[in-house]
Amino acid sequence: MASGNSDPQRRLTATAVKLLVAGGFGVGKTTMVGSVSEVPPLRTEEVLTSASEGVDDLSGVEAKTTTTVALDFGRITINPDLILYLFGTPGQDRFWFMWDELARGALGAVVLADTRRLETCFPAVDFFERRGLPFVVGVNCFDGAYRYGTEEVRAALDVDQTVPLLLCDARDRESTKQVLVTLIHHVMKNADLVQSHG
Ligand SMILES: Nc1nc2c(ncn2[C@@H]2O[C@H](COP(=O)(O)OP(=O)(O)OP(=O)(O)O)[C@@H](O)[C@H]2O)c(=O)[nH]1
Ligand SMILES: [Mg+2]
């Protein structure tokens, strides 16, 4: 990969787009950024210690030992003219104060959802709806989780029909790429709509 990005001249003229990967605690944000990044992803993982007991809600993700405390960062070249910079958000409520900072300059977002704990992505959906930032919902299919249809998840989340919603596996590069390409198309469609109404 990254071959299309090797020409420095080309890299200067390529469009760089900032995107967020958001969602609740432990839904797979760090995994998603890491699976698709062509550079070693920057991670800010800290071990979950007994100090976080009663603060961090581990129900449903009891096996989790680390958590993102600042951000994840990765990069992917979609084609020689388009480079995506991915910023994964921290998932826990105590890091909410960082979201405004991370969202600055972003053109769109992936909201990752875990069907075992769907309610954990409500705040992310609200955040992007309130700001009018285009987003897609990626339903991360965890092993052993009941597979709901996309329309069932859409109804449960109460997101508009215009918001793309797709099943994915955050560990899988191609699956993650599919989510990002869907987001890019959605962002472009939104930009066209704004232009034609403005
Ligand atoms: N089976 C399965 N496991 C996954 C998938 N995505 C992530 N995991 C696992 O779930 C755990 C949590 O993933 P993370 O990527 O750390 O989740 P996160 O959303 O970044 O978590 P926070 O930063 O703490 O909010 C890890 O142990 C992953 O290996 C998936 O698609 N399927
Ligand atoms: Mg994380």
Side-chain angles (χ1 to χ4, degrees):
M1 194 52 214
S3 53
N5 197 27
S6 55
D7 177 356
Q9 191 74 34
R10 204 69 198 250
R11 204 177 331 168
L12 279 176
T13 56
T15 302
V17 173
K18 177 180 178 180
L19 300 174
L20 296 183
V21 178
F25 179 46
V27 291
K29 303 175 294 294
T30 299
T31 305
M32 176 166 261
V33 173
S35 75
V36 83
S37 182
E38 63 203 12
V39 292
L42 169 76
R43 291 182 173 145
T44 57
E45 293 285 287
E46 290 295 340
V47 175
L48 282 161
T49 63
S50 55
S52 73
E53 269 172 34
V55 179
D56 300 331
D57 182 8
L58 281 175
S59 47
V61 281
E62 290 83 358
K64 203 161 161 33
T65 55
T66 63
T67 190
T68 303
V69 294
L71 77 165
D72 304 302
F73 174 76
R75 187 189 78 190
I76 175 171
T77 305
I78 294 291
N79 63 47
D81 299 318
L82 181 61
I83 301 171
L84 307 183
Y85 289 97
L86 303 178
F87 289 76
T89 63
Q92 297 172 72
D93 299 350
R94 59 194 167 108
F95 298 120
W96 258 106
F97 67 93
M98 293 205 54
W99 280 51
D100 274 319
E101 197 61 47
L102 282 171
R104 196 164 299 161
L107 292 191
V110 175
V111 174
L112 264 186
D114 174 355
T115 53
R116 299 167 305 172
R117 302 172 299 121
L118 214 47
E119 69 289 352
T120 63
C121 74
F122 289 159
V125 169
D126 280 351
F127 182 91
F128 298 121
E129 279 181 347
R130 263 187 279 123
R131 281 160 184 78
L133 193 74
F135 67 96
V136 301
V137 178
V139 181
N140 196 10
C141 299
F142 281 84
D143 302 329
Y146 180 79
R147 297 292 162 101
Y148 293 92
T150 50
E151 288 316 301
E152 281 177 284
V153 179
R154 182 185 297 285
L157 287 180
D158 194 24
V159 290
D160 200 86
Q161 283 290 340
T162 56
V163 175
L165 188 151
L166 63 169
L167 305 180
C168 67
D169 184 336
R171 299 164 300 177
D172 182 80
R173 181 163 212 275
E174 283 311 311
S175 175
T176 296
K177 215 170 149 183
Q178 189 56 50
V179 174
L180 294 175
V181 168
T182 304
L183 175 58
I184 288 295
H185 285 146
H186 186 53
V187 167
M188 286 165 67
K189 204 167 153 191
N190 265 58
D192 283 349
L193 280 179
V194 170
Q195 236 169 24
S196 61
H197 289 289

